[in-house]
Amino acid sequence: MAALNEEQSILKDQAIAWINDNGPVAAFRAMRDSGNPLGFEQATWSAMADMGWPGILVPEEFGGSNLGYLTFGLILEELGKQLTASPLLASGLVGAAALILGGNAAQKKACLPRIADGSRIVTLAVDESTRHDPAGIALAAHKTANGFALSGDKCFVVEGGAATDFVVAARTAGNAGDANGITLFLVDGAADGISRTLLRTADSRGYAHLKFANLEVSHAAVLGDVDNGGALLDAILDRARAGVAAEMLGTASQAFAMTLEYLKTRKQFGQVIGAFQALGHRAAELYTEMELARSAVEGALAAIDADAADVPAMCSLSKCKAGAFLFRMSNQLIQIHGGIGMTDEFDAGFYLKRARALETMYGNQGFHRARFATLMGF
Amino acid sequence: MSEANAKLEQFRGEARAWLAANFPRSLVGKAAVYMTYDLDVPMEGDALAWRTALGEKGWGTPTWPTEYGGGGLSQMEARVLQEEMHAIGAFNPIPILAGMGVTMVGPTVLEYGTEDQKQRHLPPIARGEVRWCLGYSEPNAGSDLASLATKAVDKGDYWEINGQKIWTSGADISQWCGALVRTDVNVGKRDGISFLMFPMDQPGVRTRPIKLIAGASPFCETFFDNARADKKDLLGKLNDGWSVGKRLLQHERQSQTGGAPMGGGGGSLQELAKKYVGLDSAGKLRDEDLRLRLAQHLMDAKTHSLTLARVAAESRGNAKVTAAASILKNSATHVAQARAELTLEIMGGNGLGWEGESFNDEEINAVRAWLSGKAMSIYGGSFEIQNNIISKNILGLPETTQKG
Ligand SMILES: Cc1cc2nc3c(=O)[nH]c(=O)nc-3n(C[C@H](O)[C@H](O)[C@H](O)COP(=O)(O)OP(=O)(O)OC[C@H]3O[C@@H](n4cnc5c(N)ncnc54)[C@H](O)[C@@H]3O)c2cc1C
């Protein structure tokens, strides 16, 4: 783990203690069993807001603590371990990043304090098909006398059920597939022109499809520049990817810990199964992969904090590495637990389902491998 | 800028000035000639002058103490020195010239040696004048090193050594050998081993080079027939050679965590791919499958170097460096071997050029580096042995079938 400063260590310890008491995987199970359509409990979210977590990225003048992405990642990793359900990633990281990077003074003033105190949940609506393809955005924003009218669909919007506001990536010029011609809008989720369909997915997180039917917004809703929002969108997405990767690392490292524990306790043929070299080596390789993935995850978060030139490449690297490890680890979690791993009563299934959902979020491994090649100039 | 940074920058200035005054410009671009493990390159002219200057300054072994011929630099200063050398195309041939002296024997002598041993053995290594080989492996003691059978008997004023070693790198061109030998046959196999140091140029030592798949013969069978080691050249305590020897292997592992390719070019693989494979009109490599595997490799390499940096940052002031060494060795091996395979694939048929005018140096080096690189997962504790170590020592799994 990165060499933490004192503030980060305290925050991390606080997170671990709070999650143990309030958000263990048993709480996730209870939430799932209750059929809660939002995918998280309001009380959990309020408690996180009280601890200041949604404001970690928000500048102090807007009510946050401005501690940066590496610090935020520590919390996301701990939450990922216990699958603690909340809109923290979607709003505290992605929504906040959108406002911090793209918002004008008035937008920041109106929105950031309320993201920081948890009273607003701002999430990004980007994808329009089952594949992550930012350049392929087609949702149309036509210029009108007073601003723009938005028409089209967004799908798999993260925490789309609970969101109070959406950052919507729309096309104001060009055609789907063009990198240029994209504009971001900050829209009120309660507006008449938006209808939501809440999704029931295997991983029990709150996603929604959105339909925009000629939603009228004013110029004041534009986040960043008209037609040139592609770079801003990329920057927001990169932060989102680095955040998801931190959550993935947490989820996978917990799966590793559960597996290692089982290797040391389950006995067959008169010995603990970890004494079989086939499994000992598999554990060693998974552990190696975990350590490497951690470097990538922390490297990307630190690169964002340092405003490094290679943020895009680092974020693709991070999402790809964390993704590969979580994919393999979640399968091995089941495999090494044998029959018990297949039961709903045991938690392994939660990790497997969440693993695949996170894999699709903001670009899967294939997307990021290809993007990395492009960024490297080949 | 903090005070520490200011001091480091001052050192950078000193290093730069010294290098400018001492590194012969005629050696720029010659690193590959002098930095290869496969050859015994003669030291003469400017190369000899450079080795001598570097050795006298102690900067061939920058972090060793000055009283034993080292540079007395901190790790940070040593890194700065390396950066400055890299910047002007300079290189440090001493670790290569000393064989196993700089990376393995030296650090172990520093730790376990008597004052007399340090005074006698370290300065010649630091000057790059004496090459060391390492007699560990035997025909029947490879990964299971503790089963070694070469014996040493106390003859009063010397040790008499009989037996055979194998895979002894550089045995035929080394002046000294550090070897693990059995000094007590009546105890457990790890308990009767000692570490002896002795000169190779003596009647009782014979070497026979073994040719490798890459064409060269970098290592030997080494036979001991009443060979002698001086009594004062027992390193560490009698019958405690297993701890000494294991410590040395940790130094070896640590030195093999860099992920740099063995020989062959260190240039950019994507540039090589552009040259041999070409880009399509969209700016993508013409071979889509290769493109993605190359991207994956570059990500793996980047992740490896991020991990090296992370381990260094986390271990500051903490002696438990070695826990990560097995992970790093396996990862370094994976990266270097994958790089060699991709280099070959990118070059296509030319990547298999063995010799002759039809192939350029880069191509011929690539095929040989690819072949020699296969050894990385065998020596220094094989890939599987590292996994044993990780599962046992780091993860705490039982030892039932995972020895080593
Ligand atoms: C280029 C090169 C340079 C070398 N230089 C030196 C030198 O200077 N001095 C020196 O003393 N030696 C040297 N060696 C020898 C090296 O240390 C040995 O090759 C190594 O220890 C492996 O031993 P082995 O070759 O007998 O293979 P073996 O030990 O017979 O291994 C064969 C296979 O079995 C596997 N295996 C063995 N035990 C286990 C286990 N417990 N669990 C799972 N798998 C296992 C291995 O991983 C390997 O895949 C060198 C080797 C090479 C290739």
Side-chain angles (χ1 to χ4, degrees), chain B residues 98-210:
Chain B
M100 308 290 174
V102 170
T103 48
M104 300 175 218
V105 175
T108 315
V109 169
L110 265 175
E111 204 169 321
Y112 287 91
T114 62
E115 188 53 36
D116 165 64
Q117 288 170 341
K118 292 181 197 173
Q119 295 286 358
R120 280 188 297 121
H121 294 307
L122 297 178
I125 295 175
R127 291 194 299 268
E129 289 171 5
V130 168
R131 184 189 294 265
W132 283 70
C133 63
L134 210 56
Y136 271 39
S137 307
E138 298 181 4
N140 290 316
S143 299
D144 183 12
L145 184 60
S147 65
L148 60 90
T150 295
K151 248 197 294 188
V153 176
D154 189 343
K155 289 288 184 182
D157 45 355
Y158 63 90
W159 292 98
E160 185 177 82
I161 309 165
N162 281 288
Q164 187 201 336
K165 296 288 175 182
I166 194 169
W167 320 129
T168 327
S169 296
D172 50 340
I173 54 171
S174 292
Q175 290 81 41
W176 276 77
C177 179
L180 288 179
V181 294
R182 191 156 296 288
T183 38
D184 187 344
V185 291
N186 299 315
V187 291
K189 64 178 187 175
R190 291 182 177 185
D191 299 329
I193 294 173
S194 297
F195 191 109
L196 291 180
M197 302 181 285
F198 49 87
M200 290 296 280
D201 184 14
Q202 56 166 303
V205 177
R206 192 164 51 88
T207 61
R208 199 174 69 80
I210 306 170

Side-chain angles (χ1 to χ4, degrees), chain B residues 248-270:
Chain B
L248 182 141
L249 287 180
Q250 286 173 349
H251 287 299
E252 175 178 38
R253 211 165 290 146
Q254 206 85 41
S255 74
Q256 289 165 357
T257 55
M262 307 234 321
S268 141
L269 216 49
Q270 57 267 45

Side-chain angles (χ1 to χ4, degrees), chain A residues 277 281, chain B residues 100 133-139 141-145 165-170 212 218-219 252 372 375 377-385 388 401-404:
Chain A
Q277 197 181 45
H281 278 198
Chain B
M100 308 290 174
C133 63
L134 210 56
Y136 271 39
S137 307
E138 298 181 4
S143 299
D144 183 12
L145 184 60
K165 296 288 175 182
I166 194 169
W167 320 129
T168 327
S169 296
L212 295 194
F219 60 30
E252 175 178 38
S372 353
S377 46
I378 298 171
Y379 60 55
S382 70
F383 185 84
E384 289 76 18
I385 294 297
N388 285 347
T401 57
Q402 33 235 37
K403 304 188 161 50

Side-chain angles (χ1 to χ4, degrees), chain B residues 215-233:
Chain B
S217 302
F219 60 30
C220 300
E221 289 179 284
T222 308
F223 303 92
F224 304 115
D225 186 10
N226 294 335
R228 291 181 179 199
D230 201 299
K231 273 318 234 330
K232 58 182 197 274
D233 278 324

